Amino acid sequence: MNSATLTLSGVTRRFKDVYALNNLDLTVGAGELVALLGPSGCGKTTALRIIAGLDRADEGQVLVRGESIDKLPAHKRNMGMVFQSYSLFPNLNAEENVAFGLRMRGASKAQRRDRAHELLNLVGLDHHAKRFTHQLSGGQQQRVALARALAFEPDLLLLDEPLSALDAKVRANLRDEIRALQIKTGTTTIFVTHDQEEAMSMSDRVAVMNGGKIAQIAEPDVLYHTPANEFVAGFVGQMNRIPAQISGSKARVLESDVDAKFDWETQPAEAVALVRPEAIEVTPAPNGNATVVARAFLGPMSKVMLQTTQGFSFDASMTSDQSASLHSGDSVNVSIKPGQYLVVPA
Amino acid sequence: MKRIRIANLPLMVALTIAGLFVLFPLGSATEFSFRTPVSGGHGLANYVWFFTAPDFGHYLWISFILAVSAAGILLVLLVPTAVWLNLGGHKVRPFVEFITLLPLVIPVVALAIGAQTSLPDFAQTNEFVLAFMYAVLALPYAYRTLDTGLKAVPLRTITEAARGLGAGWFRTIVQVVTPVIRSTVLASLFMTLALSLGEFTLTSLLHWDTFTTWVTTMSQSNILGAIALSVFSLVAVFVLLLGIGAFVRPVSNQAAAEED
Ligand SMILES: Nc1ncnc2c1ncn2[C@@H]1O[C@H](COP(=O)(O)OP(=O)(O)O)[C@@H](O)[C@H]1O
Ligand SMILES: [Mg+2]
């Protein structure tokens, strides 16, 4: 990892008796894109606003390159921010909006114009430079907002659900564009979202937040394959919950013994194994432990819905080629691929 | 030229009827005001009559100054209040809204008696007290115009964006908030000006003389002159508002819409 550009240590923010942030620690390396992912109300916006200086922490510190910026007002922090709702200045056109940060920094008129056009070009909107907010679509407005936030080469780019007000197709395009632009400019970025697909697909690392804390922070694939706890497992990707019987350090799941890898203090009587659909092995067998309920074709992959002989249901995911021989009512043997599960108390 | 769509037809008809409804009496009044009964023809006699009346300029000026002062008072009081209310979800909003509605609920007579019984002497003897009274009367309209306009822009996000981009509070207010709210503030100013210029009841109850009370007094002696005066007042107010409007035009609509 590169040197840390941003460090939050023990940041706490209370609103009356609600802890919006509860002793939050976070480190973001230079040039890195970290997503803050979590359900609504978990404190993502509050974290971003404290980093930007638009809100104050009750406790804890915010450091940029090792130096505390807690005393620095928002306008001296050199951070580019894109908001969830539209935030362009309605009295300025796209070019003037993008140039605003440079104007505040005393750049000359010519410099401002050149840089604004350079940035509008990057977001593909140079031909709309003279347009005002009300003449731009939602996606275009967010592009201009992005150009505006990048124009003055901020130390940090802060994006607060910039895509959530856009329709699905624009959202997917803009997501890829933001990532490409972020890599190209090398801007250290924090991307706030409640959409796990968005977070997983565009980040170097994802910080899953819950109740004002970071539940786990890791690379997307690590997060997906080895979630630290049930919350992360449930929030990222699809997850089956399959009953498990504990005996000693082993758990019995789908009639085979797996290593329970306990990390809880007292051993529970009841437990569940959290298993990804693609970690379930399905082989046709005349007197197997499960039956095929239905099959859903999803292009290259298919989802196969299964029910065990004990009567609980779960999904398996496999390539459509593999699923071609499976039909409703078929008897199959199901097992869990080694290591790809998490056993937690029920 | 844009094609006129069929869907617009009812609107056009309604506008025409409404237009006629307003313009016909106005046109008639204007025509009437130019009549000269002695010769039976048309002329400027009625206008000359009031223009040359000794107090015409004096009262016009008083009304103008009072209206501008009332607008100024409301500007200073209301703009910061409304901006502040729209920057944060403040708990005092219902209270402020209640206060601004009071002038609609309290009868003007009560206001006048209140002013006469409880204001200190220096305020009773100074005509300028009317400016404050007008401000009170225009308060509900001015505040509502301002608040509705401000609610239409995401003022809070915009100011936060400005600060994030490097503008301190002062520059945020001067370079971002002011231009954004200018047209709304202007609309609310117009409202106050128009209401103050036409105020009669309270002025007359308090025994002050302004242009409106002077017009009433004058009309009693010359009916054609009174109509000429009314036409003049209408045109004057219209020109005044138009003038201010052109002087401070909202910027956001200047750009010509380009094609994709
Ligand atoms: N200005 C505020 N006043 C009171 N409570 C707030 C305020 N801002 C946020 N909160 C509370 O703090 C918690 C976290 O909010 P927020 O950071 O906006 O969450 P997120 O962006 O993850 O949806 C929520 O419970 C929210 O109600
Ligand atoms: Mg939020």
Side-chain angles (χ1 to χ4, degrees):
Chain A
M1 180 108 347
N2 300 319
S3 63
T5 291
L6 176 77
T7 310
L8 300 192
S9 81
V11 171
T12 297
R13 178 74 169 102
R14 278 181 301 268
F15 294 103
K16 301 241 171 68
D17 48 356
V18 179
Y19 277 81
L21 294 178
N22 190 353
N23 205 11
L24 180 87
D25 294 320
L26 175 69
T27 304
V28 182
E32 202 182 14
L33 192 157
V34 170
L36 293 184
L37 172 69
S40 175
C42 72
K44 307 179 296 288
T45 297
T46 305
L48 217 58
R49 290 174 57 84
I50 285 173
I51 296 168
L54 297 171
D55 196 0
R56 301 275 146 187
D58 294 317
E59 284 157 43
Q61 272 197 311
V62 182
L63 311 169
V64 169
R65 280 186 232 95
E67 286 186 31
S68 167
I69 58 164
D70 293 323
K71 298 246 152 45
L72 227 49
H75 66 280
K76 294 201 175 131
R77 290 198 178 188
N78 203 39
M79 293 182 185
M81 188 146 179
V82 177
F83 296 81
Q84 179 170 6
S85 55
Y86 304 133
S87 65
L88 295 184
F89 306 124
N91 56 317
L92 304 180
N93 64 27
E95 180 188 326
E96 292 163 337
N97 261 285
V98 176
F100 188 88
L102 296 170
R103 196 166 112 207
M104 293 302 115
R105 284 162 180 76
S108 77
K109 228 175 176 156
Q111 276 176 317
R112 265 145 50 189
R113 198 194 44 229
D114 291 351
R115 181 75 178 148
H117 280 281
E118 187 185 333
L119 261 300
L120 282 173
N121 238 325
L122 275 179
V123 296
L125 281 179
D126 202 29
H127 57 297
H128 284 345
K130 299 292 177 215
R131 286 208 175 181
F132 286 85
T133 313
H134 62 274
Q135 298 165 321
L136 296 167
S137 70
Q140 290 171 334
Q141 287 189 42
Q142 289 302 66
R143 282 193 168 88
V144 175
L146 185 67
R148 180 176 72 176
L150 284 171
F152 54 92
E153 292 176 349
D155 290 333
L156 214 60
L157 179 63
L158 307 172
L159 308 167
D160 189 1
E161 311 207 21
L163 308 177
S164 63
L166 309 176
D167 58 58
K169 200 165 170 202
V170 180
R171 192 157 61 208
N173 286 340
L174 199 48
R175 175 215 285 172
D176 297 342
E177 280 178 42
I178 290 177
R179 176 56 162 163
L181 205 58
Q182 185 267 333
I183 291 174
K184 188 169 175 179
T185 57
T187 314
T188 309
T189 302
I190 299 182
F191 187 100
V192 162
T193 179
H194 63 264
D195 180 335
Q196 54 106 2
E197 198 188 317
E198 212 166 88
M200 301 291 274
S201 65
M202 61 190 291
S203 324
D204 293 306
R205 286 189 301 154
V206 176
V208 181
M209 284 184 67
N210 186 22
K213 277 189 169 125
I214 291 184
Q216 185 178 8
I217 177 164
E219 288 78 15
D221 54 331
V222 174
L223 207 62
Y224 187 82
H225 292 301
T226 51
N229 53 47
E230 190 174 0
F231 177 80
V232 176
F235 203 77
V236 174
Q238 267 199 39
M239 200 56 110
N240 289 305
R241 295 172 58 92
I242 301 171
Q245 287 80 44
I246 305 295
S247 57
S249 66
K250 295 280 178 187
R252 191 158 179 82
V253 188
L254 293 175
E255 290 163 26
S256 54
D257 287 322
V258 298
D259 197 351
K261 292 189 284 189
F262 298 112
D263 56 355
W264 56 78
E265 296 285 308
T266 51
Q267 184 176 314
E270 304 254 318
V272 286
L274 304 172
V275 189
R276 299 271 181 218
E278 68 274 16
I280 290 177
E281 195 108 57
V282 182
T283 43
N287 286 311
N289 57 2
T291 40
V292 175
V293 177
R295 186 164 62 102
F297 177 77
L298 306 168
M301 301 297 284
S302 284
K303 186 167 86 170
V304 178
M305 285 147 264
L306 301 152
Q307 193 170 44
T308 63
T309 43
Q310 286 102 325
F312 42 81
S313 310
F314 54 97
D315 297 340
S317 171
M318 61 192 76
T319 66
S320 294
D321 289 346
Q322 287 170 330
S323 73
S325 60
L326 300 174
H327 305 281
S328 312
D330 284 2
S331 175
V332 290
N333 249 330
V334 291
S335 58
I336 300 171
K337 291 178 185 167
Q340 301 188 27
Y341 58 88
L342 182 70
V343 181
V344 297
Chain B
M1 264 320 264
K2 276 181 196 157
R3 265 183 307 133
I4 293 167
R5 295 208 203 102
I6 298 295
N8 283 339
L9 212 64
L11 181 69
M12 307 286 279
V13 171
L15 278 180
T16 311
I17 292 174
L20 283 178
F21 195 76
V22 174
L23 288 180
F24 189 71
L26 265 181
S28 311
T30 310
E31 189 273 331
F32 201 59
S33 72
F34 283 107
R35 284 191 195 175
T36 45
V38 187
S39 66
H42 289 84
L44 288 174
N46 301 316
Y47 287 87
V48 173
W49 170 73
F50 73 78
F51 256 111
T52 51
D55 290 331
F56 170 74
H58 172 69
Y59 286 120
L60 192 61
W61 181 243
I62 287 181
S63 275
F64 180 73
I65 288 297
L66 287 177
V68 169
S69 308
I73 291 165
L74 280 187
L75 191 77
V76 170
L77 280 180
L78 283 189
V79 175
T81 311
V83 167
W84 176 63
L85 286 180
N86 280 284
L87 278 180
H90 285 284
K91 293 197 188 79
V92 289
R93 180 183 273 279
F95 177 71
V96 173
E97 299 202 330
F98 173 72
I99 295 282
T100 60
L101 276 179
L102 279 182
L104 283 186
V105 190
I106 299 173
V108 178
V109 180
L111 212 65
I113 293 171
Q116 276 171 334
T117 52
S118 59
L119 281 182
D121 271 351
F122 74 88
Q124 301 261 8
T125 51
N126 191 333
E127 193 152 31
F128 205 68
V129 73
L130 282 178
F132 288 90
M133 289 292 183
Y134 292 169
V136 170
L137 290 179
L139 182 67
Y141 309 98
Y143 174 76
R144 229 132 290 268
T145 313
L146 202 57
D147 193 49
T148 312
L150 289 189
K151 270 184 190 150
V153 281
L155 208 55
R156 182 155 179 219
T157 316
I158 285 177
T159 51
E160 289 186 344
R163 284 164 65 206
L165 290 165
W169 268 116
F170 183 73
R171 287 169 102 180
T172 301
I173 287 174
V174 173
Q175 297 187 7
V176 176
V177 176
T178 307
V180 165
I181 68 172
R182 190 166 55 182
S183 55
T184 297
V185 170
L186 224 74
S188 137
L189 270 183
F190 282 2
M191 198 68 102
T192 314
L193 278 184
L195 279 169
S196 304
L197 285 174
E199 211 297 319
F200 174 80
T201 321
L202 188 70
T203 314
S204 140
L205 281 171
L206 289 178
H207 304 295
W208 288 111
D209 275 320
T210 60
F211 192 64
T212 44
T213 57
W214 180 76
V215 167
T216 316
T217 317
M218 290 290 281
S219 344
Q220 281 155 9
S221 62
N222 179 348
I223 183 68
L224 282 177
I227 292 167
L229 252 175
S230 310
V231 171
F232 166 80
S233 311
L234 256 172
V235 173
V237 169
F238 190 70
V239 167
L240 178 74
L241 297 189
L242 217 64
I244 300 174
F247 182 60
V248 227
R249 173 183 297 141
V251 231
S252 64
N253 297 323
Q254 280 172 358
E258 300 158 42
E259 284 305 303
D260 260 274

